[in-house]
């Protein structure tokens, strides 16, 4: 039985936990739920009806650092769903680093650690012979990395660009269709739970830039950091400017791109019939391939759909373990 | 790509044919030929050719071939024009904007909007394929210097 733990019992953590209670038949038990204040351990694995909404209120809740989960060897697979800090990578970075060092496979949706220490973490995973999977970090549930690594492996990626942030895309769409000013569209997004209380990382293009960094490092063999991306956000975009674009059959979108070694995020004019021109909180990612040509993926870049990417990573790890067991 | 080539043709029969051969061998399709006989200088007649080549590589091979056969290439100029649109958000003087295009492009139309509180201008211009990136970069630099945002078109 593979013992799986979730650190970060928030929006994604709670939703993923529900799915993982059904995995016992598949040889995976959810045995640990952790938050900043401590963890709850169930050696036989949680069942769906035994999942606590608030782990800290549970009588067996252990108030201590979640690092203990790793040190005590309570799990074989750790899913890291901690809040993102794109400058320090913490707290996710320490959890991931320690887990990998201890020979624990890791799945994460937290961009921070990968933006700060991509090469360090992937080489560490490589040298320890464990998996580090991060499908959920870019494009939410859209299968970006698995598609590129599996289905596109015979071809060569020439460039990647995309609409990588649902919050700003929602705001720009409302400005385009309703002529709303940016601040009003932002308030609306916040009310709908699409934007954080502090939306500056989204509006200033930093969140998109993080995704550009992860894409470049993971799929184009680069070793880049946030400061290598030329970033311009949407704070200065006006609904009148969008109207001026609209008159020409275009709109303004926040586009992240990796082209000829150049990483950038900037508001761009996009034709309304361009495949990247998706509206609302949708994300779109376009690969330019040497043989295939253009390939565009469109989907929900955040929210519950992200669980699909987390499960895909977990399934992949399970399949690899199964294959290596059978190989022996 | 369409290119204007100016050759210095030695005033001997048969030399133009040699040049045309090199162009044809590299997929070039000749659109027009202009002889400037009255401009004969030092035994050379300048000849201006407009040619459509399948690619830059084809053009470069043709040019090398022509030069190897002893015909000097006096000048080349891309006739390819592209129409580009950008929106500059913020306020920027038109004079400064026009300077960017001096000698390497032409403003086709300028539209202002947003009033004085949140001004922008939409600039449509034509530029040769070669100068496109330079012009866009110069516009970006100008926008940044003036605390404006340049929104360029995603190809
Ligand atoms: N939600 C999405 O749609 C989405 C999509 C893609 C990627 N992501 C990324 O996935 C991660 C999780 O997202 P989320 O929406 O689930 O966030 P969330 O609801 O804020 O959950 C994060 C959880 O982490 C816990 N936490 C905070 N500090 C911790 C620490 N030091 N150690 C352990 N746990 C800690 C928090 O609980 P306490 O503070 O009570 O400990 C909280 O429950 C983020 O990095 C996010 O950027 C989210």
């Amino acid at each position: 039985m593979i013992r799986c733990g979730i650190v970060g019992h928030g929006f994604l953590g709670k939703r993923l936990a529900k799915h993982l209670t059904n995995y016992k038949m598949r040889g995976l038990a959810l045995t640990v739920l952790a938050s900043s204040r401590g963890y709850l351990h169930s050696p036989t694995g949680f069942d769906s009806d035994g999942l606590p909404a608030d782990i800290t209120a549970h009588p067996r809740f252990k108030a201590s650092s979640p690092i203990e989960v790793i040190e005590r060897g309570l799990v074989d697979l750790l899913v890291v769903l901690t809040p993102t800090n794109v400058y320090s990578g913490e707290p996710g970075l320490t959890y991931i680093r320690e887990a990998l060092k201890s020979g624990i496979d890791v799945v994460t949706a937290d961009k921070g650690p990968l933006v700060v220490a991509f090469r360090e973490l992937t080489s560490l995973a490589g040298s320890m012979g464990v998996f580090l999977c991060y499908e959920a970090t870019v494009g939410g549930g859209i299968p970006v990395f698995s598609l590129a690594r599996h289905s596109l492996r015979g071809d060569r990626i020439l460039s990647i660009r995309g609409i990588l942030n649902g919050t700003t895309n929602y705001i720009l769409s409302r400005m385009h269709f309703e002529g709303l000013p940016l601040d009003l569209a932002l308030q609306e997004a916040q009310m709908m739970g699409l934007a954080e209380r502090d939306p500056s990382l989204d509006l200033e293009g930093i969140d998109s830039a993080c995704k550009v960094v992860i894409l470049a490092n993971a799929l184009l063999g680069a070793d880049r950091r946030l400061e290598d991306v030329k970033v311009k956000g949407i704070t200065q975009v006006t609904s009148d400017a969008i109207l001026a674009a609209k008159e020409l059959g275009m709109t303004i979108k926040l586009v992240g791109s990796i082209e000829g070694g150049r990483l950038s995020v900037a508001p761009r004019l996009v034709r309304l019939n361009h495949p990247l021109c998706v509206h609302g909180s949708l994300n779109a990612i376009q690969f330019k391939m040497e043989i295939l040509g253009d390939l565009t993926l469109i989907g929900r870049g955040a929210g519950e759909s992200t669980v699909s990417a987390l499960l895909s990573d977990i399934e992949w790890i399970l399949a690899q373990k199964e294959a290596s067991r059978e190989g022996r | 790509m369409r290119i204007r080539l100016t050759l210095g043709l030695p005033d001997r029969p048969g030399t133009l044919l040699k040049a045309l051969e090199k162009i044809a061998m590299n997929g070039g399709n000749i659109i027009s030929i202009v002889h400037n006989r009255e401009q004969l200088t030092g035994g050379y007649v300048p000849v201006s050719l407009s040619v459509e080549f399948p690619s830059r590589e084809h053009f470069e091979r043709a040019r090398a071939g022509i030069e190897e056969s002893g015909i000097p290439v006096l000048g080349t100029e891309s006739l390819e024009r592209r129409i580009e649109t950008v929106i500059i958000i913020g306020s920027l003087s038109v004079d400064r904007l026009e300077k960017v295009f001096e000698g390497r492009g032409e403003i086709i139309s300028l539209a202002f909007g947003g009033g004085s509180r949140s001004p922008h201008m939409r600039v449509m211009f034509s530029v040769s394929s070669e100068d496109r990136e330079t012009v866009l970069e110069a516009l970006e630099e100008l926008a940044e210097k003036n605390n404006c945002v340049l929104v360029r078109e995603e190809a």
Side-chain angles (χ1 to χ4, degrees), chain B residues 24-44:
Chain B
M25 266 167 53
N26 290 291
N29 184 21
I30 292 156
I31 315 279
S32 84
I33 304 182
V34 180
H35 267 259
N36 298 314
R37 286 213 158 271
E38 60 281 9
Q39 284 180 31
L40 187 128
T41 40
Y44 287 111

Side-chain angles (χ1 to χ4, degrees), chain A residues 34-60:
Chain A
S35 71
S36 60
R37 285 186 278 161
Y39 62 92
L40 188 59
H41 182 212
S42 161
T44 55
F46 292 100
D47 292 310
S48 60
D49 47 7
L51 274 180
D54 176 9
I55 53 172
T56 58
H58 196 280
R60 272 187 291 131

Side-chain angles (χ1 to χ4, degrees), chain A residues 7-12 35-36 81-84 91 95 109-111 136 302-303 306:
Chain A
V7 52
H9 193 237
F11 178 87
L12 288 181
S35 71
S36 60
L81 302 174
T82 40
T84 305
Y95 296 135
D110 186 350
K111 294 171 285 290
T306 309

Side-chain angles (χ1 to χ4, degrees), chain B residues 82-103:
Chain B
R82 292 182 56 137
I83 308 285
E84 287 279 333
T85 306
V86 297
I87 292 178
I88 298 171
I89 305 173
S91 101
L92 188 69
S93 89
V94 176
D95 284 357
R96 288 200 186 143
L97 181 74
E98 282 175 336
K99 278 224 171 65
V100 170
F101 292 96
E102 265 169 26

Side-chain angles (χ1 to χ4, degrees), chain A residues 18 35 145 165 215 223 235 266 302 307:
Chain A
K18 232 181 267 165
S35 71
F145 301 105
N165 180 271
L215 284 168
D223 187 8
T235 48
V307 172

Side-chain angles (χ1 to χ4, degrees), chain A residues 147-157 289-292:
Chain A
L147 182 100
R149 289 203 179 114
H150 302 294
S151 310
L152 301 177
R153 65 182 155 200
D155 207 338
R156 193 164 73 92
I157 300 172
M289 308 296 303
E290 190 168 55
I291 304 170
L292 178 63

